[in-house]
């Protein structure tokens, strides 16, 4: 969601910015632009549409020479996606240029004040207000001016700012939106996320809340909101740069689905010892684990779906009551957190605004928060009291697959560990669960290797109008994620229902040929789900079943059956989701959709 890249140094800035923005494309955007200082003045080019339009307009950056610049990919919030609303925004003489990610909440009142002082605005954006405010307060000292403006802005921002009369500097500031800066022997960089600059440097500084950075070609200075200069520690990024490339796969999503056996292994390995689970980063001793009275899980989208599975697994194994909340609901419902409650915030990006806010709400009420996070150094990772990283590596496709799989593993580890400590499972069960956890990567691999079957089936459904996913218990949680995968990338309307709930309304939508995907991996519920399958089949539904190997009975009521290998019923989500991810993917490919960058979506949802 909005990408920022800035550069100042020995190289031509425009190609560096274009390259960095390309690596942030996964975040989602609808227009792009950049501003480069050519030694005399600042030139700005912006264009609605894909980044390649900007690349073509500037001949890959050649028509915008200069050693300092800022660029942006915009995901529209205030005003339609068009050339005028695209960033950078500037003051009248283009002497002050701004790129922004976030939302300036009080922009209307600020805009009204500036209008009274004679300012006029060309765009509908909140960002232009920041550019004009900088102009209004400018006293020749950029840092002082930026601080004055930031003290008057309410809301969230990651900003990149250039002043034409200070050609040797660019500025960055952050509150509530992600921002990093980096340094190489060739210059200094600003970016919304690490992959944007990984090609140039591995020396990165995570900008903290309400910090301002002044970047020169060979130096960076960090300041507090009180203009106090501070020292910061650099982090060396040790990711494999190739991890953020497609490596021969047609799409990042396909590559990331194929990385799931590794992701699951990487998330399990550091915690799964020979005969026990150790989660050091949890920060809880056995006695504290025994004292947990309740768990609240907060998350959005697929991370929320992982949380729904987490609820079934934690309650089922460790017998701890669990509430799962959509973070956007939790934060505004004044939740009741009782003594002994533990809060878990789940997020791939670690930057999701609602999850971050929900987590802060819990902290405000005095509760410790465990973050299950993928992006190292992200806001949720830094603000959580304890972090359990999912080691999925960079996930580029907007539709999550491998990070979701890793989140499931994190919940399994917690549940099995808590269950053993609280003695709700015995030694034998503990050993069996550990054995089944260890088997998951190979079993996922097996399912991925038989993709042709699901690919063939998916091709028949590229014309589908509606698809329903049904299941009970954990199978309902799997259905939620299967349905989201299909709809978000193929634009086919799909819904997930607890199978028993269909007859309370939704069944009236079933027509001749409507595809219903029934997930049935819980032996105790086989018969119940079969009854629901029979009900929809009698109304003309075409039934795809995903079930455990050996459950042959289901073939009597399904039209097409996918079997998953044998595992403990608490872990079936990790296997059953694979054919559903593949189904969504191949339907979207068959329809010619932009699989990695679905319309209107952003990878990292950093605004409310
Ligand atoms: O980065 P997060 O895990 O916090 O993101 C949460 C959701 O925005 C994300 O899962 C979203 O639903 C994806 N589009 C799912 O594929």
């Amino acid at each position: 969601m909005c990408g920022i890249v800035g550069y100042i140094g020995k190289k031509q800035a425009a190609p560096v910015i274009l390259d960095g923005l390309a690596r942030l494309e996964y975040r989602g955007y609808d227009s792009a632009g950049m501003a480069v200082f050519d030694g005399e003045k600042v030139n700005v080019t912006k264009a609605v549409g894909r980044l390649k339009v900007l690349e073509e307009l500037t001949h890959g950056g050649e028509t915008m020479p200069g050693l300092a610049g800022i660029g942006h990919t915009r995901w529209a919030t205030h005003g339609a996606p068009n050339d005028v609303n695209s960033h950078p925004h500037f003051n009248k003489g283009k002497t002050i240029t701004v790129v922004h990610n976030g939302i300036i909440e009080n922009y209307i009142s600020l805009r009204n004040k500036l209008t009274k002082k004679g300012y006029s605005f060309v765009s509908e954006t909140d960002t232009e207000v920041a550019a004009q405010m900088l102009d209004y307060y400018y006293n020749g000292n950029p840092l002082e001016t930026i601080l004055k403006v930031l003290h008057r802005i309410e809301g969230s921002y990651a900003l990149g700012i250039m002043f034409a009369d200070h050609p040797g500097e660019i500025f960055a500031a952050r509150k509530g939106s992600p921002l990093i800066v980096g340094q190489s022997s060739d210059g200094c960089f600003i970016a919304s996320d690490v992959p944007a600059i990984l090609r140039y440097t591995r020396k990165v500084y995570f900008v903290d809340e309400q910090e301002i950075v002044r970047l020169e070609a060979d130096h960076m200075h960090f300041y507090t909101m009180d203009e106090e200069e501070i020292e910061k520690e650099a982090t060396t990024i040790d990711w494999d740069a190739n991890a953020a490339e497609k490596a021969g796969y047609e799409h990042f999503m396909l590559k990331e689905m194929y990385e799931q056996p590794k992701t699951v292994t990487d998330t399990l390995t550091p915690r799964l010892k020979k005969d026990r689970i150790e989660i050091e980063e949890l920060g809880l001793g056995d006695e504290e684990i025994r004292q947990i009275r309740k768990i609240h899980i907060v998350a959005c989208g697929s991370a929320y779906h992982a949380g729904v599975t987490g609820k079934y697994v934690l309650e089922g194994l460790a017998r701890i009551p669990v509430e799962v909340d959509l973070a956007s609901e939790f934060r505004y419902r004044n939740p009741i957190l009782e003594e002994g409650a533990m809060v878990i915030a789940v997020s791939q990006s670690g930057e999701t605004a609602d999850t971050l806010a929900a987590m802060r709400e819990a902290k405000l009420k005095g509760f410790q928060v465990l973050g299950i996070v993928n992006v190292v150094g992200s806001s949720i990772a830094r603000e959580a009291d304890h972090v359990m990283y999912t080691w999925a590596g960079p996930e580029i496709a907007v539709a999550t697959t491998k990070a979701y799989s890793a989140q499931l593993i994190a919940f399994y580890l917690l549940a099995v560990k808590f269950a053993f400590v609280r003695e709700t499972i015995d030694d034998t069960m503990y050993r069996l669960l550990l054995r089944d956890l260890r088997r998951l990567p190979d079993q996922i691999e097996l399912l991925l290797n038989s993709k042709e079957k699901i690919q063939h089936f998916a091709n028949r459904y590229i014309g589908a109008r509606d698809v329903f996913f049904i299941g009970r218990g954990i199978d309902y949680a799997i259905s939620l994620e299967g349905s989201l995968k299909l709809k978000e990338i193929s634009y086919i309307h799909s819904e997930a229902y607890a199978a028993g709930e269909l007859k309370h309304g939704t069944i009236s939508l079933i027509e001749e040929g409507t595809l219903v995907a029934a997930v049935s991996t819980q032996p105790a519920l086989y018969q119940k789900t079969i009854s629901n399958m029979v009900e929809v089949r009698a109304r003309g539904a075409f039934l795809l079943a995903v079930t455990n190997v050996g459950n042959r009975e289901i073939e009597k009521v399904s039209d097409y059956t996918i079997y998953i290998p044998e595992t403990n019923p608490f872990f079936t989500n990790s296997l059953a989701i694979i054919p559903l991810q593949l189904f969504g993917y191949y339907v979207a490919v068959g329809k010619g959709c932009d699989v990695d960058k679905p319309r209107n979506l952003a990878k990292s949802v950093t605004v409310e």
Side-chain angles (χ1 to χ4, degrees):
M1 181 165 277
C2 292
I4 290 178
V5 179
Y7 171 75
I8 183 162
K10 298 178 195 159
K11 289 171 175 277
Q12 287 297 312
V16 174
I17 292 169
L18 286 171
D19 179 63
L21 291 178
R23 285 161 211 279
L24 294 182
E25 276 195 298
Y26 69 88
R27 297 168 67 85
Y29 68 100
D30 38 51
S31 58
M34 64 178 161
V36 178
F37 184 71
D38 70 6
E40 284 176 16
K41 59 182 186 322
V42 174
N43 297 304
V44 178
T45 310
K46 351 196 232 181
V48 73
R50 290 283 172 212
L51 193 60
K52 68 174 186 302
V53 181
L54 183 67
E55 275 167 0
E56 280 164 17
L57 274 175
T58 62
H59 296 242
E62 270 178 34
T63 61
M64 296 184 75
L67 305 179
I70 49 179
H72 189 266
T73 42
R74 173 177 187 248
W75 190 85
T77 54
H78 295 68
N82 59 33
D83 289 358
V84 177
N85 288 333
S86 314
H87 299 211
H89 288 280
F90 35 80
N91 63 343
K92 212 167 163 199
K94 284 194 196 162
T95 52
I96 302 173
T97 343
V98 178
V99 290
H100 166 223
N101 174 15
I103 291 181
I104 299 175
E105 286 165 5
N106 59 338
Y107 84 105
I108 294 182
S109 76
L110 295 174
R111 190 173 163 134
N112 289 343
K113 277 185 199 152
L114 287 165
T115 307
K116 281 191 195 134
K117 300 203 183 288
Y119 281 85
S120 56
F121 295 82
V122 292
S123 79
E124 301 156 83
T125 65
D126 50 341
T127 307
E128 193 185 359
V129 172
Q132 301 283 32
M133 274 183 86
L134 286 164
D135 179 275
Y136 177 69
Y137 285 108
Y138 193 48
N139 61 0
N141 179 332
L143 187 62
E144 259 178 46
T145 309
I146 291 171
L147 284 168
K148 236 180 226 160
V149 171
L150 296 187
H151 281 297
R152 285 162 175 81
I153 283 179
E154 289 164 20
S156 58
Y157 52 77
L159 290 164
I161 308 169
M162 285 203 305
F163 292 81
D165 61 350
H166 284 256
E169 298 169 331
I170 56 177
F171 294 84
R174 173 194 176 195
K175 183 183 158 216
S177 293
L179 194 70
I180 57 135
V181 292
Q183 191 172 11
S184 78
S185 52
D186 284 333
C188 293
F189 306 79
I190 307 174
S192 299
D193 200 354
V194 174
I197 59 170
L198 210 51
R199 215 179 131 190
Y200 306 99
T201 182
R202 289 176 174 274
K203 187 178 172 189
V204 162
Y205 298 84
F206 293 101
V207 182
D208 278 310
E209 284 291 281
Q210 308 212 327
E211 274 178 11
I212 300 117
V213 195
R214 181 162 64 88
L215 299 96
E216 297 166 335
D218 55 2
H219 207 79
M220 282 189 290
H221 307 265
F222 298 88
Y223 301 91
T224 65
M225 290 289 277
D226 301 321
E227 219 185 318
E228 206 179 295
E229 185 155 0
I230 45 173
E231 291 297 320
K232 276 182 84 84
E233 290 255 323
T235 303
T236 305
I237 303 292
D238 55 8
W239 299 345
D240 173 5
N242 292 331
E245 306 288 342
K246 264 192 241 167
Y249 285 90
E250 199 182 340
H251 296 102
F252 278 113
M253 184 176 172
L254 186 64
K255 174 185 174 244
E256 288 159 6
M257 281 191 280
Y258 272 86
E259 284 171 353
Q260 289 178 111
K262 178 173 183 316
T263 296
V264 166
T265 306
D266 289 350
T267 306
L268 279 173
T269 307
R271 289 108 184 184
L272 196 51
K273 309 296 171 198
K274 194 163 167 268
D275 57 355
R276 66 193 187 285
I277 291 171
E278 269 180 27
I279 313 173
E280 281 161 21
E281 61 270 47
L282 197 59
L284 297 180
D286 286 359
E287 194 41 45
E288 285 159 305
I289 291 175
R290 281 185 209 106
Q291 294 305 320
I292 300 172
R293 293 281 152 268
K294 188 162 187 179
I295 295 177
H296 291 263
I297 300 171
V298 290
C300 301
S302 295
Y304 168 78
H305 298 160
V308 176
T309 300
K311 171 184 167 72
Y312 286 114
V313 180
L314 281 158
E315 287 189 341
L317 281 170
R319 308 305 298 151
I320 304 174
V322 180
E323 263 187 52
V324 199
D325 270 85
L326 290 163
S328 53
E329 291 294 314
F330 182 89
R331 61 184 292 194
Y332 293 122
R333 77 170 168 86
N334 193 12
I336 302 165
L337 301 183
E338 56 289 333
E339 182 92 25
M342 172 184 183
V343 178
I344 304 181
V346 193
S347 176
Q348 185 287 128
S349 61
E351 300 294 351
T352 300
D354 284 320
T355 311
L356 191 56
M359 179 181 119
R360 288 179 181 155
E361 173 73 22
K363 288 188 74 167
L364 216 64
K365 288 181 187 288
F367 288 85
Q368 296 243 321
V369 176
L370 170 70
I372 296 180
V373 182
N374 193 43
V375 176
V376 176
S378 56
S379 301
I380 295 177
R382 279 181 293 147
E383 290 190 31
D385 299 288
H386 303 284
V387 188
M388 190 171 170
Y389 279 113
T390 50
W391 297 113
E395 191 179 60
I396 309 293
V398 165
T400 181
T401 51
K402 62 173 181 170
Y404 168 79
S405 281
Q407 288 160 355
L408 294 176
I409 298 298
F411 278 117
Y412 301 162
L413 287 165
L414 288 173
V416 178
K417 163 98 188 158
F418 288 179
F420 187 64
V421 171
R422 293 165 72 102
E423 296 177 22
T424 52
I425 56 170
D426 61 18
D427 277 354
T428 315
M429 180 67 168
Y430 191 42
R431 269 200 310 278
L432 288 173
L433 289 165
L434 298 191
R435 181 202 65 186
D436 285 350
L437 281 175
R438 284 198 179 90
R439 284 179 175 171
L440 287 175
D442 287 346
Q443 293 175 323
I444 293 172
E445 183 114 47
L446 202 74
L447 286 160
L448 287 165
N449 289 343
S450 50
K451 70 169 173 35
E452 277 74 21
K453 197 174 174 206
I454 198 82
Q455 182 174 8
H456 177 72
F457 180 78
N459 284 335
R460 289 163 55 181
Y461 279 90
I462 55 180
R465 195 189 59 185
D466 306 295
V467 178
F468 295 90
F469 289 75
I470 60 169
R472 288 167 179 264
I474 286 180
D475 293 334
Y476 170 54
I478 303 170
S479 301
L480 286 169
E481 180 59 9
S483 169
L484 179 61
K485 282 292 89 74
L486 176 68
K487 75 180 121 188
E488 69 179 334
I489 57 173
S490 74
Y491 317 143
I492 290 174
H493 166 246
S494 92
E495 287 185 53
Y497 275 90
E501 188 62 17
L502 272 186
K503 60 175 92 54
H504 298 285
T506 315
I507 202 161
S508 66
L509 296 170
I510 306 294
E511 295 173 350
E512 196 57 40
T514 304
L515 178 62
V516 176
V519 186
S520 181
T521 70
Q522 303 298 301
L525 298 168
Y526 279 167
Q527 290 312 322
K528 297 284 169 203
T529 306
I530 285 185
S531 306
N532 301 128
M533 291 167 75
V534 171
E535 284 161 11
V536 288
R537 201 180 202 203
R539 278 130 188 117
F542 189 90
L543 272 155
L544 164 70
V546 180
T547 192
N548 302 324
V549 66
N551 182 21
R552 287 270 169 201
E553 205 188 329
I554 210 160
E555 285 186 20
K556 292 186 198 141
V557 291
S558 71
D559 298 290
Y560 203 82
T561 309
I562 304 279
Y563 290 104
I564 61 162
E566 195 190 339
T567 187
N568 185 286
F570 286 111
F571 305 152
T572 55
N573 191 345
S574 289
L575 304 179
I577 197 58
I578 304 296
L580 298 184
Q581 290 173 343
L582 288 165
F583 176 66
Y585 173 77
Y586 282 115
V587 170
V589 170
K591 285 188 71 178
C593 299
D594 191 349
V595 174
D596 284 336
K597 287 169 261 155
R599 68 185 179 207
N600 305 337
L601 288 182
K603 181 68 181 166
S604 179
V605 184
T606 53
V607 292
E608 255 196 80

